[in-house]
């Protein structure tokens, strides 16, 4: 039997709704944020003015570019790309529909049409990263990033690729009452946007962490939530290693407290920095690597959906040199 390879994290980047890219630049959101201007960041990373690209694509390109840069070593052009999004290019798609409804199909801009295609952002990320490899776009609502991460890790674990780039991106839109038709939120929940990217590899040299796995399970009526999840993700948490639970925006306080208690884990509330969006888990997991740490730690992101399914993604962050 061939042993599966470990999936190492070589670089990571998270961009929040304020254009924040580092721990020092993150701010707690008090209300629904406006759309940040990322043009200067994209220009710095790519050397190009992406005038025809929408904000959604700029977010994806900037996050992927930062993750690649922070990894240091050159990205193999054959590395596959796995891109996750819950809603895709909202602004350009809505604008396209308005053009068609008001002026007919002949009134639409070719660029508006191209940008509305679901995998355009993945193509642009691959192009900016110099990749000539296959790229896939995943859209599974709240589970979008976890599905992409599962496929990316499988490529490395099975020896089909030496490295991969995986990320998730979603954008918000105003007014709120229109946006929550696409992403139902409770009163008081802040609608957010952002991205998170991980550069993965099979070689642990210079790694900052590793992907532990993705587990999806059905929570049946009457089954105790915390017990079921602990059985699935408990093996990721080693004795003596700090553990943190990262609850997604579909988790409630009682569920989070019960699970954290059983796992003897702390709770890391990353949503206060990015708000609620389908691929917020990508931001949360990538933001783990924002700053240096003295010891290794395990982070488990948990979310659920309306159909009663739960999904968990685990990563381990290695100690890094302190400044």
């Amino acid at each position: 039997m061939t042993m599966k390879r470990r999936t190492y994290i070589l670089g990571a980047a998270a961009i929040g709704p304020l254009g924040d890219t580092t721990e020092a630049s993150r701010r707690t959101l008090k209300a629904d944020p406006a759309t940040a201007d990322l043009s200067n960041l994209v220009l710095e990373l790519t050397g190009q003015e992406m005038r025809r690209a929408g904000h959604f694509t700029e977010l994806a390109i900037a996050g992927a570019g930062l993750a690649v840069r922070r990894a240091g070593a050159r990205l193999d052009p054959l590395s596959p790309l796995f891109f996750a999004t819950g809603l895709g290019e909202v602004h350009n798609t809505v604008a396209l529909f308005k053009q068609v409804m008001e002026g007919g199909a002949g009134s639409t801009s070719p660029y508006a049409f191209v940008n509305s295609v679901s995998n355009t952002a993945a193509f642009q990320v691959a192009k900016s990263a110099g990749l000539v490899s296959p790229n896939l776009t995943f859209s599974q609502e709240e589970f979008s990033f976890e599905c992409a991460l599962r496929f990316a890790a499988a490529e490395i674990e099975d020896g089909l690729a030496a490295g991969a780039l995986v990320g998730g991106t979603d954008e918000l839109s105003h007014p709120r009452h229109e946006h929550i038709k696409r992403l139902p939120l409770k009163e008081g929940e802040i609608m957010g946007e952002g991205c998170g990217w991980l550069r993965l590899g099979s070689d642990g040299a210079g790694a900052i962490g590793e992907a532990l796995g993705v587990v999806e399970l059905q929570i049946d009526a009457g089954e105790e939530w915390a017990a079921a999840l602990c059985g699935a993700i408990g093996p990721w948490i080693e004795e003596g290693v700090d553990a943190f639970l990262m609850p997604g925006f579909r988790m409630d306080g009682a569920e989070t407290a019960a699970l954290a208690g059983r796992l003897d884990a702390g709770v890391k509330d990353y949503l206060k920095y990015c708000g609620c969006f389908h691929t917020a888990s990508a931001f949360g997991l990538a933001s783990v690597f924002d700053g240096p740490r003295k010891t290794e730690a395990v982070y488990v992101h948990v979310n659920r959906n309306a159909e009663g399914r739960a999904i968990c993604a685990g990563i381990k962050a290695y100690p890094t040199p302190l400044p």
Side-chain angles (χ1 to χ4, degrees):
M1 178 179 177
T2 303
M3 294 292 293
K4 290 183 178 293
R5 299 180 180 182
R6 295 168 72 174
T7 302
Y8 294 100
I9 299 171
L10 307 178
I15 300 179
L18 305 180
D20 43 289
T21 61
T22 63
E23 185 176 36
S25 62
R26 310 245 187 253
R27 297 290 183 271
T28 299
L29 300 177
K30 303 297 184 183
D32 295 339
T35 298
D37 183 357
L38 300 175
S39 56
N40 288 337
L41 178 59
V42 173
L43 178 61
E44 176 195 345
L45 290 166
T46 67
Q48 302 176 26
E49 293 185 4
M50 309 291 290
R51 294 179 179 176
R52 301 296 185 181
H55 176 69
F56 170 72
T57 300
E58 286 186 331
L59 255 178
I61 289 174
L66 276 176
V68 171
R69 174 187 286 185
R70 288 173 178 174
R74 175 179 174 272
L75 179 64
D76 186 342
L78 297 178
S79 301
L81 172 69
F82 300 87
F83 178 64
T85 182
L87 292 176
E89 186 91 50
V90 176
H91 287 289
N92 282 334
T93 301
V94 171
L96 175 67
F97 288 163
K98 286 183 177 179
Q99 287 177 2
V100 172
M101 296 301 293
E102 295 172 1
S107 67
T108 61
S109 160
Y111 291 104
F113 174 76
V114 169
N115 285 330
S116 71
V117 177
S118 61
N119 66 340
T120 297
F123 166 78
Q124 293 287 5
V125 170
K127 182 180 178 182
S128 67
L131 298 178
V132 293
S133 54
N135 71 71
L136 295 175
T137 297
F138 296 79
S139 189
Q140 295 289 319
E141 296 184 321
E142 289 89 344
F143 296 175
S144 297
F145 176 69
E146 290 85 343
C147 290
L149 178 60
R150 179 162 51 194
F151 272 79
E155 288 285 297
I156 294 171
E157 291 169 0
D158 294 339
L160 300 177
L165 192 58
V166 58
T169 304
D170 273 294
E171 66 176 349
L172 56 77
S173 62
H174 291 278
R176 179 185 173 93
H177 71 268
E178 290 293 332
H179 189 69
I180 62 175
K181 293 178 182 178
R182 310 178 187 101
L183 175 66
L185 297 175
K186 300 174 184 176
E187 186 70 28
E189 287 185 321
I190 294 177
M191 65 181 193
E193 70 171 22
C195 71
W197 286 86
L198 301 175
R199 181 175 165 185
L200 307 177
S202 59
D203 186 347
I208 58 176
E210 66 181 284
L212 300 176
V214 176
V215 173
E216 183 178 353
L217 65 159
Q218 181 72 33
I219 302 298
D220 298 322
E223 185 175 2
E224 209 280 319
W225 235 79
L229 287 179
C230 279
I233 63 182
W236 294 343
I237 302 175
E238 305 169 29
E239 186 176 351
V241 176
D242 291 337
F244 297 92
L245 181 68
M246 306 179 76
F249 66 95
R250 297 301 187 203
M251 295 279 287
D252 64 34
E255 292 168 344
T256 298
L259 185 56
R262 282 181 176 267
L263 293 173
D264 192 23
V267 176
K268 183 176 174 63
D269 178 18
Y270 70 93
L271 291 170
K272 64 183 180 181
Y273 298 118
C274 68
C276 302
F277 55 99
H278 282 123
T279 53
S281 58
F283 172 92
L285 290 169
S287 70
V288 163
F289 302 98
D290 272 352
R293 69 200 60 81
K294 295 181 179 179
T295 60
E296 70 179 22
V298 170
Y299 295 84
V300 179
H301 188 281
V302 182
N303 207 0
R304 64 182 304 175
N305 65 11
E307 286 70 47
R309 294 195 68 78
I311 199 161
C312 316
I315 63 171
K316 180 186 289 186
Y318 295 161
T320 53
L322 299 178

